[in-house]
Amino acid sequence: MVKIGRNAPCSCGSGKKYKKCCLSPQKVKRPSSVKKQRFIPVYTELDQLSNSVVDLIKQNKLDEAEAVSRELLTEYPDQIDGFNRLAMVYEARREKGKAADYYRKAYRFAMSNEGFDQDSADWFLSEAKRMESEK
């Protein structure tokens, strides 16, 4: 079984990060000093902005989704979300070339930053290649 990185797109297809979607609360590592408690997810502003792009795309509000994606790039340049979300927006617009460009940027980001395993990085590259093949 392939291990999915916490920051990788969730394999369920929601477009959200694995850690904010299908990662089981039991799989979240906690320091041993923390007693077992009921898991309550904490969503940061980054998570809320990033997830709102997915929702806006589903509502076909692509201009708003693009604006929020660009905000992610500006406000959180040390996170992959802006690149990934812009790729998703352009994919939804059927602008395959631009989508491929942003998936490649996400791939390069994943390759040059900690927190991404090779499979997660390769997923972005495979999406870029898929976009290019669908042009």
Side-chain angles (χ1 to χ4, degrees):
M1 183 173 204
V2 176
K3 180 179 176 184
I4 300 172
R6 291 172 44 82
N7 290 314
C10 191
S11 60
C12 75
S14 69
K16 296 179 180 180
K17 288 183 181 181
Y18 177 61
K19 69 182 179 184
K20 297 297 178 187
C21 191
C22 292
L23 179 64
S24 168
Q26 290 79 24
K27 292 182 182 177
V28 176
K29 293 180 182 174
R30 293 183 184 86
S32 59
S33 62
V34 176
K35 293 181 181 180
K36 282 193 173 184
Q37 302 173 11
R38 191 171 144 227
F39 178 74
I40 301 172
V42 176
Y43 293 103
T44 65
E45 183 179 339
L46 167 64
D47 297 323
Q48 291 170 351
L49 279 174
S50 188
N51 290 340
S52 73
V53 174
V54 176
D55 296 335
L56 290 166
I57 290 170
K58 287 178 182 176
Q59 296 166 17
N60 203 32
K61 296 180 179 179
L62 301 180
D63 290 338
E64 291 176 52
E66 181 178 1
V68 174
S69 298
R70 294 202 180 280
E71 183 179 347
L72 284 165
L73 281 176
T74 302
E75 297 296 321
Y76 301 96
D78 59 338
Q79 300 295 320
I80 199 168
D81 298 58
F83 297 123
N84 184 30
R85 298 308 188 222
L86 277 170
M88 293 171 66
V89 169
Y90 288 124
E91 184 175 356
R93 286 186 175 150
R94 295 183 176 85
E95 295 181 40
K96 306 296 185 176
K98 287 183 180 180
D101 289 343
Y102 277 97
Y103 279 126
R104 284 191 185 282
K105 288 178 183 184
Y107 169 75
R108 286 192 294 274
F109 184 96
M111 291 300 295
S112 62
N113 288 275
E114 292 181 18
F116 296 93
D117 58 23
Q118 188 64 48
D119 289 335
S120 298
D122 288 346
W123 183 86
F124 292 112
L125 186 58
S126 70
E127 288 299 290
K129 290 177 180 178
R130 182 176 63 84
M131 291 294 102
E132 291 168 341
S133 72
E134 292 178 6
K135 281 189 195 178

